[in-house]
Amino acid sequence: MTTRGVLYVHSAPRALCPHVEWAVAGVLGVRVTLDWVRQPAAAGTWRSEFSWQGRPGTASQLASALRGWHLLRFEVTAEPCAAAEGERYSSTPDLGIFHAVTGIHGDILVPEDRLRAALARAGRGESDLQDEVAKLLGKPWDDELEPFRYAGEGAPVRWLHQVV
């Protein structure tokens, strides 16, 4: 069973670019050379994106391989398949990593225990319900990444296939 997805590296310092390629290659099991272009939203940074195909769980492995680098902004998506729901990971230096399960139409599926916990925090006055729901949907990550997404329109995309 395979799925496919996209890795968006929204911004990385030039010195980090080869390390990103090595990390991705380690997950996919094939040599990876990404097409890097300047990221106009953050001077001195570069961006790249590519599509991949692999086993369910590959998105999680890619996100784990990249999450430790503080200066990196990225997103990883995986389409749903017969064996697994879709996934979305977003990461920024300030917010860390966000994970969501996605359905067949790309909607974020929020587990009921996370909804109950958000309602409980809001009910106790610890937070605002609207803010809690926004976090469950990844809005803070979307807000921070949107200028980097827009700046990357028209960038080349490369398909990579994991050897399964």
Side-chain angles (χ1 to χ4, degrees):
M1 187 64 52
T2 62
T3 188
R4 56 187 183 169
V6 180
L7 167 65
Y8 303 93
V9 179
H10 293 298
S11 71
R14 188 67 174 153
L16 195 54
C17 294
H19 298 282
V20 169
E21 292 177 359
W22 296 330
V24 172
V27 170
L28 296 177
V30 296
R31 184 174 177 193
V32 174
T33 303
L34 301 178
D35 295 322
W36 294 96
V37 295
R38 291 187 188 277
Q39 172 54 276
T45 65
W46 296 77
R47 70 170 324 281
S48 186
E49 59 187 69
F50 68 92
S51 296
W52 54 267
Q53 185 172 347
R55 293 186 188 121
T58 299
S60 173
Q61 293 172 336
L62 288 168
S64 293
L66 299 175
R67 75 178 284 179
W69 296 325
H70 178 70
L71 299 175
L72 189 64
R73 287 179 182 85
F74 70 89
E75 291 180 278
V76 183
T77 63
E79 295 179 2
C81 64
E85 298 285 357
E87 295 182 281
R88 175 182 154 208
Y89 293 86
S90 302
S91 182
T92 74
D94 293 333
L95 298 172
I97 199 157
F98 168 79
H99 171 254
V101 174
T102 57
I104 193 164
H105 300 293
D107 297 323
I108 292 177
L109 307 176
V110 180
E112 62 186 78
D113 62 330
R114 293 185 69 197
L115 282 172
R116 284 190 183 106
L119 286 169
R121 284 190 297 275
R124 291 189 302 265
E126 297 172 7
S127 63
D128 178 72
L129 183 57
Q130 188 171 356
D131 292 340
E132 289 286 337
V133 172
K135 287 178 193 171
L136 290 172
L137 297 176
K139 186 176 181 333
W141 287 264
D142 286 339
D143 291 346
E144 188 169 328
L145 291 172
E146 192 58 31
F148 295 90
R149 292 174 182 147
Y150 178 75
E153 285 183 12
V157 176
R158 173 180 286 202
W159 281 92
L160 294 178
H161 302 277
Q162 181 179 18
V163 178
V164 181

